[in-house]
Amino acid sequence: MHYTVREKKGDIVSGLLYHRGIQGERAIADFLSPNYEAHTHDPFLMKDMDRVVARLYKAVKDGEKIVVFSDYDADGIPGAVVLHDLLKKIGYANFENYIPHRHDEGFGLNMKAVEGFKEKGMSLIITIDCGIADIEETAKAKELGMDLIITDHHEPHGTVPDAFAILNPKTDGCMYPEKMLCGSGVIFKLAQAFLKKHGEEFGVPVGWEKWWLDMVGIATLSDMVPLVGENRAFAHYGLKVLRMTKRPGLLELFSRLRVKPENLTEDDIGFTISPRINAASRMGEPEHAFLLLSTDDRAVGATCAERLEEVNNERKGTVASLVKEVRKILAERDMDSKNVIVLGNPTWRPSLMGLVANKLAEEYGKPAFLWGRDGEGVIKGSCRSGAGASVFAIMEKAHDAFTGFGGHAASGGFEVKDDAIHYLEERLEKAWRELDHTNKEVIKYADALISVDEVVWDLYKDIERLSPFGTGNARPIFLIKGARVEAVKQFGKEGNHTEITLSDRKGRKLSAIQFFLTKEALPKNVVPQALIDIAVHLEKSMFKSYPELRLRIVDII
């Protein structure tokens, strides 16, 4: 692995800003000091917003039965909580939240659910984080006499559904400035617009919607939208609200995970909250994630937090078993002659395939395509590149084997034609060979070259001015050359994490850790008194109940 250090531009913060394309006094000031009023846009700039607000107001005034249909992931569920909280805040109770079963119903609207809403007397359906591709289901809702409002952020593909209204900044003719909102961001703009126009009538104080930025923050950081512009403001203020949270379910979850809300960071979202929300849907229990976030009852919150922990552990166990099963199969095959890993089983849950594919792709350094069969009998799968060829490019080459596919270079999802499953491996191998693999060396970039001596709190505080980090604003990577190793040890219940103690010229000790790095996987040169080159992030750990400056290992070179 080769690391190229970016060109130095002034001090470290100036360099980080420069290489992120943030230049000029105004742009730098805006980036370093997010401002809610200045950096968020008028919600009525979004196409159809007037129409949507008017229709929701009418439904509330007429006492119509509303169904909120959200996606089941860590974007859709927090978004569902935003609309739930809005309706509760204005004193409206004649609504129902509906989250589809990931395995049995799949993504987006489905005919059975739409027909069920009619039978239950619903007259208005509002989707969150889905719907823009659901042409037939939208037509069915209209045929049954129900109005459908679609709120989504996914790219429209050709024809858009004939819905009552669509809130999606990516639709043609929408002049909303921020095109990269997540699904929760879009529904938040509806809540903001509704209160801007009718909040006083319902006795809601001006600006109350800011308390729902906790949900938007979770979703924005989970859904990997670029953390610039309005999204940066949402993530920044979302974390502020989360640090003051009064939501009983979150407080119970934080207590179980030994997370202090006041110290919450974007990493806590990525490593604690999001995985548990997603685990609930992967294991068929998304309602527990929704209740955890929406309940105002401490007992219900405690029950949901406990169940989410159980479900997350079940998910871990199931994935571990699947990985073990797949490894056994691969051990019996000649994998040296294979360029792509392709495996499946009708009994496997498609919702878990991405997690398994990710592990295999990393271990083998080859693209991994895994499939199972969902509750409707459809063959679905997920793929990961493992730093190999682009899985999206492979699927494009083998498009005739799929009924649908999507994703990007690193990961994706697909549906397979029933007859194509028999030659899927052969077809993907052929696609891989058709790609250009002449430049296989992966060059990674470090933001700056530093020494162990320079890892001090002042440097950390400078870097944190650029947080929150995520897509479009990656956490800085620093390259340390010739770092002296003092000790190496494993930690964790299973001893599968590694801590390397480094020392500077004055003998000060500094901890560098990497999770899920076993002793066997460590490079042979990592031994006491050795000098190593290491790529790291700087982080503040509160694990010992006091702030500890440490390094998170990215690579040992």
Side-chain angles (χ1 to χ4, degrees):
M1 184 67 67
H2 176 67
Y3 272 83
T4 297
V5 180
R6 297 188 190 278
E7 181 185 359
K8 190 172 183 179
K9 293 286 181 179
D11 60 23
I12 283 180
V13 171
S14 298
L16 292 172
L17 291 167
Y18 177 85
H19 290 296
R20 282 160 172 72
I22 303 160
Q23 299 176 48
E25 287 185 19
R26 178 63 184 273
I28 290 171
D30 285 350
F31 190 84
L32 295 179
S33 303
N35 182 288
Y36 180 79
E37 278 71 26
H39 301 155
T40 61
H41 308 294
D42 180 353
F44 286 100
L45 292 174
M46 197 174 291
K47 183 181 178 182
D48 276 357
M49 186 62 82
D50 284 294
R51 185 170 169 80
V52 170
V53 169
R55 182 66 185 88
L56 180 57
Y57 180 78
K58 179 181 184 301
V60 169
K61 282 297 182 181
D62 293 350
E64 295 181 53
K65 198 165 188 179
I66 302 169
V67 60
V68 179
F69 185 102
S70 68
D71 189 22
Y72 39 62
D73 67 2
D75 184 8
I77 289 178
V81 175
V82 170
L83 190 50
H84 166 276
D85 286 2
L86 169 66
L87 294 170
K88 287 284 192 182
K89 188 65 183 174
I90 63 174
Y92 196 71
N94 195 19
F95 73 96
E96 177 184 313
N97 279 90
Y98 186 96
I99 305 170
H101 190 285
R102 186 172 189 155
H103 183 68
D104 295 340
E105 296 177 82
F107 176 75
L109 288 166
N110 63 83
M111 289 296 189
K112 188 175 179 181
V114 171
E115 290 165 353
F117 298 151
K118 180 64 178 178
E119 290 172 8
K120 294 176 74 172
M122 310 291 189
S123 57
L124 177 62
I125 306 170
I126 303 176
T127 74
I128 298 175
D129 193 29
C130 61
I132 198 65
D134 298 329
I135 307 292
E136 294 176 5
E137 293 81 1
T138 301
K140 173 59 72 172
K142 190 171 185 177
E143 177 192 319
L144 294 173
M146 294 181 288
D147 283 339
L148 173 63
I149 293 170
I150 292 172
T151 77
D152 203 347
H153 71 119
H154 295 100
E155 290 280 356
H157 294 290
T159 306
V160 297
D162 183 21
F164 176 85
I166 298 174
L167 295 182
N168 185 337
K170 292 173 183 167
T171 53
D172 289 341
C174 182
M175 304 304 292
Y176 194 75
E178 179 55 76
K179 299 297 183 186
M180 298 303 290
L181 294 176
C182 64
S184 286
V186 175
I187 200 66
F188 176 80
K189 300 309 293 188
L190 167 55
Q192 188 182 34
F194 189 90
L195 291 183
K196 187 174 183 179
K197 190 160 188 177
H198 301 294
E200 186 177 352
E201 177 184 343
F202 290 99
V204 182
V206 175
W208 182 269
E209 74 277 358
K210 293 178 189 177
W211 287 108
W212 304 326
L213 284 170
D214 56 352
M215 295 297 102
V216 185
I218 288 173
T220 299
L221 289 162
S222 300
D223 210 53
M224 296 193 296
V225 293
L227 294 183
V228 294
E230 190 165 25
N231 285 331
R232 180 166 170 79
F234 283 162
H236 175 83
Y237 285 96
L239 283 168
K240 280 183 176 289
V241 177
L242 278 165
R243 289 170 188 144
M244 300 182 288
T245 190
K246 297 295 188 290
R247 294 185 187 270
L250 279 179
L251 289 172
E252 287 288 342
L253 184 64
F254 292 156
S255 175
R256 289 172 183 276
L257 299 174
R258 294 198 297 172
V259 171
K260 291 186 176 180
E262 62 269 23
N263 297 323
L264 198 76
T265 70
E266 60 269 40
D267 286 343
D268 294 310
I269 305 296
F271 295 116
T272 62
I273 299 177
S274 301
R276 284 161 176 80
I277 294 173
N278 289 326
S281 73
R282 291 182 197 279
M283 303 304 287
E285 299 185 26
E287 65 280 357
H288 284 103
F290 173 76
L291 268 175
L292 177 99
L293 299 175
S294 63
T295 186
D296 54 10
D297 185 309
R298 191 84 190 214
V300 173
T303 300
C304 290
E306 182 180 3
R307 184 57 191 148
L308 245 60
E309 271 304 278
E310 291 172 354
V311 166
N312 193 45
N313 289 330
E314 287 172 19
R315 188 267 306 167
K316 287 179 181 176
T318 304
V319 170
S321 296
L322 280 170
V323 170
K324 188 175 180 180
E325 181 180 348
V326 171
R327 281 177 181 149
K328 186 176 179 182
I329 295 169
L330 294 179
E332 297 170 357
R333 296 188 179 186
D334 177 18
M335 290 309 298
D336 289 339
S337 65
K338 305 288 185 182
N339 300 301
V340 181
I341 298 169
V342 185
L343 280 175
N345 189 313
T347 65
W348 292 349
R349 277 193 173 193
S351 60
L352 299 174
M353 292 301 98
L355 300 171
V356 182
N358 192 56
K359 284 189 176 293
L360 295 178
E362 285 181 356
E363 285 181 22
Y364 286 84
K366 299 176 180 181
F369 292 75
L370 269 68
W371 58 265
R373 197 182 291 273
D374 72 9
E376 299 296 310
V378 179
I379 298 171
K380 292 182 178 179
S382 292
C383 47
R384 299 291 185 270
S385 73
S390 162
V391 289
F392 188 78
I394 292 173
M395 289 189 289
E396 279 189 312
K397 291 278 187 185
H399 65 87
D400 52 317
F402 304 108
T403 55
F405 65 88
H408 46 82
S411 67
F414 56 87
E415 289 187 13
V416 187
K417 297 175 182 177
D418 277 347
D419 60 335
I421 202 65
H422 303 295
Y423 60 83
L424 182 63
E425 181 177 16
E426 178 185 339
R427 189 68 190 86
L428 292 173
E429 280 284 343
K430 182 175 182 290
W432 185 93
R433 290 192 297 272
E434 290 171 354
L435 294 175
D436 181 8
H437 301 287
T438 52
N439 184 18
K440 295 190 72 173
E441 183 185 11
V442 178
I443 299 176
K444 292 191 175 183
Y445 288 91
D447 291 281
L449 180 67
I450 63 172
S451 67
V452 176
D453 301 66
E454 293 175 277
V455 180
V456 293
W457 280 111
D458 283 347
L459 176 61
Y460 172 82
K461 289 172 184 174
D462 283 344
I463 295 165
E464 278 301 289
R465 293 173 64 196
L466 277 71
S467 68
F469 298 110
T471 305
N473 182 34
R475 186 176 291 279
I477 295 176
F478 297 99
L479 183 61
I480 301 176
K481 289 189 172 183
R484 182 174 296 280
V485 177
E486 289 292 327
V488 182
K489 72 174 185 178
Q490 309 303 125
F491 66 96
K493 289 182 181 177
E494 299 173 16
N496 58 345
H497 310 313
T498 293
E499 178 183 15
I500 302 173
T501 302
L502 304 176
S503 63
D504 66 11
R505 287 177 299 179
K506 295 180 180 178
R508 178 181 62 117
K509 304 292 191 296
L510 191 67
S511 173
I513 69 161
Q514 185 169 348
F515 294 114
F516 304 106
L517 176 65
T518 61
K519 188 175 182 179
E520 294 73 28
L522 268 175
K524 301 300 181 188
N525 64 319
V526 182
V527 293
Q529 300 310 306
L531 300 179
I532 63 172
D533 294 346
I534 187 169
V536 297
H537 300 308
L538 270 64
E539 66 178 23
K540 177 172 73 173
S541 170
M542 296 299 295
F543 183 75
K544 297 177 181 177
S545 300
Y546 61 85
E548 178 191 10
L549 181 62
R550 70 182 184 189
L551 304 174
R552 177 69 66 92
I553 300 168
V554 178
D555 271 318
I556 301 171
I557 304 151

